[in-house]
Amino acid sequence: MRITVMGSGYVGLVTGACLSDLGFKVVCLDKDEQKIRALQEGEVPIYEPGLKEVLHRNRADGRIRFTSDACEAIEHGDIIFIAVGTPPSEDGSADLGHVLSVASLVGRHLKSFKLVVNKSTVPVGTADRVRSAISHELSHRGMSLDMFDVVSNPEFLKEGAAIDDFMRPDRIVVGVDDGVNQIKSQRMMGDLYASFNRHHSRTVWMDVRSAELTKYAANAMLATRISFMNEMANLADVLGADIDHVRRGIGADSRIGHSFLYAGCGYGGSCFPKDTQALVSTAKAHGQSMKLVSATEQVNAQQKLLLVDRLMQRMGPDLTGRKIAVWGLSFKPNTDDMREATSRVVIRDLLMRGARVSAYDPVAGDEALRALRIDCADHLDWLDRFELASEDMQALQGADALMVLTEWKIFHNPDFEVMKDLMRRPFILDGRNLYNPEALSEMGIAYQGVGRRNDLVQLLSFDAVPSSPPDLQDSHTSTPDMRVNA
Ligand SMILES: NC(=O)c1ccc[n+]([C@@H]2O[C@H](COP(=O)([O-])OP(=O)(O)OC[C@H]3O[C@@H](n4cnc5c(N)ncnc54)[C@H](O)[C@@H]3O)[C@@H](O)[C@H]2O)c1
């Protein structure tokens, strides 16, 4: 069986790379010709641990290639994956424009039987729309409508661990509907994933609608756990309890488990925010409301600004003349993905309040600059006060506070004595609860985590902003490797 993957983003590239590693001949298509040219030259346009190596060896062995020619791509695959984006529309519903345009392309170029496998996250009923779009084109061409089938195979990979997730799946959800091609489609999907089912079957077979809903249910459940813990953490703060103890206490209950119980400064990424919104929107379109999922979203939106609120409790709403350091820009570690990252909301708000922001991220700096230019499009002058540091410690020079927004490993054990010397005020707002509040307090560093007993920060008094803070002026002129987004 040969494989075609339509859409060469995070999901498409990982799918293509991993299937080629299992011996399949794969063609990946994208409409972005620049991306395809880069891939053809051996570059990988996204940061995903291990992806470059897998792509490199399979490209060298001729098992994977890249094209922007739809005709060539569709001719190649017996199985055609749809892995294009499904961004949110203005009303929160999933925008199916890319999915349906790819479906029409398949209908236009199909010459022999193709199994169309939808891997994009799509609302219930989308497979029917994909089927209609292909049928429409086939009818135009006077071809049989039995020359294809559409199945649902939602993707559950996590960015940052995507290769491992794909190669060692907890489960593979496959939705196949009744119809003339049902048996053939089931056999093809069974053969495709046979390598993962050798020890025991990981495939969960179901109908297409259930498969489509399973993906949304999984993401909504995970997002809800996070928002639940964030609410608990905010309560723990005012009650003088430590959410980290609470987390361990409830996680040990086998009915609850330890995963996705970390309180923090909100979830982001390309999936949870848009998928919860889309689920709410789907329910609304069918006269239902999703009260729990809506509340999850609201809690998350507030949580993203929690650290700014805390900063303002100390410094007031006008942050003019303050310098705030930020560690971590991507929505989570081990990725450069900036979609819905907490850092975007936080940095925009800090800049709006007049602060200078000096940020460091191990890989997402360039993506962050691109994202902030979009977020601050109405106030590009704000970005004169934003700078990208080339090292974590460099970002701290003369800072009034540090906000830790992404739990990259290199932030886990910093040299706190050096940090104290570099910062104008040793004050850490830890959005990922990386540090030990008591230990930092003993070192004379004011600390606030999320749900870690807020009172420690009372030790610190904040004076007025110096009239002409030397560090702020220096930072533009005396640090040549500090990139300023002018
Ligand atoms: N990123 C994740 O962690 C993740 C995990 C599970 C599921 N998903 C879902 O998978 C889907 C893809 O997500 P992603 O993160 O890979 O998106 P992405 O934006 O990284 O990639 C999508 C790619 O599709 C291409 N594309 C769009 N229209 C096209 C067309 N008509 N023809 C060819 N190429 C086209 C784009 O140029 C882009 O390269 C989404 O529905 C997403 O919700 C994503």
Side-chain angles (χ1 to χ4, degrees):
M1 272 190 317
R2 289 166 177 256
I3 311 294
T4 292
V5 183
M6 313 278 275
S8 304
Y10 285 86
V11 168
L13 277 181
V14 170
T15 302
C18 291
L19 290 176
S20 67
D21 223 29
L22 294 175
F24 292 108
K25 284 254 164 60
V26 177
V27 167
C28 287
L29 169 100
D30 206 283
K31 67 174 183 181
D32 181 341
E33 291 181 6
Q34 209 182 330
K35 189 180 265 189
I36 289 299
R37 265 196 303 279
L39 285 161
Q40 286 168 340
E41 284 162 18
E43 287 168 38
V44 180
I46 54 170
Y47 178 85
E48 180 60 47
L51 179 60
K52 197 171 187 169
E53 292 74 11
V54 181
L55 282 175
H56 181 76
R57 70 170 168 265
N58 287 291
R59 208 175 126 256
D61 292 347
R63 275 190 299 272
I64 189 164
R65 63 194 165 83
F66 306 94
T67 182
S68 45
D69 180 339
C71 182
E72 176 197 341
I74 291 161
E75 178 117 34
H76 171 87
D78 303 299
I79 290 183
I80 299 185
F81 279 101
I82 298 181
V84 295
T86 46
S89 312
E90 295 232 316
D91 64 358
S93 63
D95 177 351
L96 294 178
H98 300 308
V99 169
L100 296 177
S101 99
V102 161
S104 297
L105 275 180
V106 173
R108 242 172 278 150
H109 294 288
L110 172 160
K111 291 186 188 129
S112 55
F113 181 85
K114 304 286 174 187
L115 179 60
V116 177
V117 180
N118 196 8
K119 223 172 215 326
S120 297
T121 303
V122 290
V124 173
T126 301
D128 296 338
R129 296 181 66 186
V130 167
R131 210 180 283 275
S132 301
I134 298 174
S135 298
H136 179 78
E137 295 296 336
L138 289 181
S139 309
H140 257 289
R141 294 168 60 204
M143 292 178 75
S144 161
L145 302 187
D146 294 341
M147 287 186 63
F148 74 100
D149 197 5
V150 180
V151 303
S152 170
N153 172 215
E155 182 51 62
F156 297 97
L157 63 77
K158 301 183 288 297
E159 284 178 26
I163 299 283
D164 209 43
D165 285 348
F166 195 97
M167 289 305 214
R168 270 181 270 274
D170 294 333
R171 79 310 206 179
I172 300 161
V173 169
V174 180
V176 183
D177 275 348
D178 299 346
V180 284
N181 292 310
Q182 182 186 7
I183 306 254
K184 188 175 184 171
S185 302
Q186 267 168 345
R187 188 177 38 76
M188 287 174 84
M189 291 306 284
D191 290 348
L192 178 73
Y193 288 127
S195 312
F196 302 133
N197 290 319
R198 289 171 76 86
H199 181 263
H200 64 275
S201 179
R202 290 188 165 87
T203 305
V204 184
W205 296 96
M206 55 184 79
D207 60 280
V208 167
R209 285 184 168 244
S210 302
E212 288 171 335
L213 187 57
T214 298
K215 173 66 191 174
Y216 283 101
N219 278 356
M221 166 77 90
L222 294 171
T224 301
R225 277 172 77 103
I226 296 174
S227 279
F228 172 83
M229 286 308 284
N230 284 338
E231 266 203 328
M232 252 337 141
N234 297 342
L235 182 63
D237 261 334
V238 294
L239 297 179
D242 187 333
I243 195 68
D244 206 45
H245 297 319
V246 177
R247 174 181 71 78
R248 290 165 202 270
I250 62 172
D253 184 328
S254 60
R255 294 168 303 177
I256 295 176
H258 290 285
S259 300
F260 276 81
L261 290 185
Y262 289 89
C265 53
Y267 61 75
S270 67
C271 293
F272 290 179
K274 86 170 168 58
D275 293 347
T276 47
Q277 270 179 43
L279 190 58
V280 169
S281 164
T282 298
K284 198 168 159 197
H286 290 80
Q288 297 264 334
S289 65
M290 300 288 284
K291 294 192 186 75
L292 195 55
V293 182
S294 299
T296 292
E297 284 180 349
Q298 284 163 22
V299 169
N300 192 56
Q302 278 173 19
Q303 200 72 7
K304 283 185 168 181
L305 283 169
L306 179 80
L307 299 193
V308 181
D309 286 344
R310 293 199 167 161
L311 193 72
M312 290 193 303
Q313 281 164 18
R314 301 281 114 204
M315 300 182 183
D318 181 2
L319 299 175
T320 308
R322 304 284 188 186
K323 178 176 177 179
I324 311 301
V326 170
W327 278 2
L329 295 167
S330 54
F331 85 92
K332 69 172 181 178
N334 297 323
T335 180
D336 59 354
D337 200 336
M338 286 295 297
R339 286 177 281 186
E340 305 285 338
T342 293
S343 66
R344 296 175 68 161
V345 180
V346 167
I347 291 172
R348 192 183 186 284
D349 207 71
L350 292 173
L351 294 173
M352 183 191 75
R353 295 177 186 287
R356 301 183 70 82
V357 177
S358 177
Y360 172 72
D361 187 283
V363 302
D366 290 335
E367 285 301 315
L369 282 179
R370 257 191 288 279
L372 287 170
R373 278 193 200 108
I374 295 168
D375 297 344
C376 300
D378 295 344
H379 299 277
L380 281 176
D381 55 310
W382 289 356
L383 293 177
D384 295 343
R385 286 180 279 109
F386 176 79
E387 58 202 7
L388 207 50
S390 55
E391 286 172 10
D392 48 1
M393 292 297 165
Q394 188 186 39
L396 300 180
Q397 189 78 50
D400 291 285
L402 164 65
M403 290 185 172
V404 181
L405 301 184
T406 315
E407 64 275 35
W408 284 93
K409 282 229 161 48
I410 60 149
F411 301 146
H412 286 208
N413 296 291
D415 187 331
F416 291 109
E417 291 301 337
V418 173
M419 291 168 74
K420 254 171 79 175
D421 288 346
L422 286 171
M423 294 177 75
R424 200 173 80 83
R425 285 275 172 220
F427 178 26
I428 299 178
L429 288 150
D430 180 359
R432 299 299 170 190
N433 286 347
L434 295 183
Y435 308 131
N436 180 333
E438 285 80 18
L440 291 194
S441 170
E442 279 163 23
M443 291 168 92
I445 296 177
Y447 175 85
Q448 277 191 321
V450 180
R452 307 296 304 281
R453 294 207 294 260
N454 235 342
D455 51 332
L456 295 174
V457 82
Q458 308 298 341
L459 302 171
L460 190 76
S461 73
F462 282 85
D463 55 6
V465 185
S467 55
S468 173
D471 53 281
L472 300 183
Q473 289 173 359
D474 285 346
S475 63
H476 266 322
T477 51
S478 65
T479 49
D481 50 352
M482 187 88 91
R483 277 183 289 161
V484 178
N485 184 34

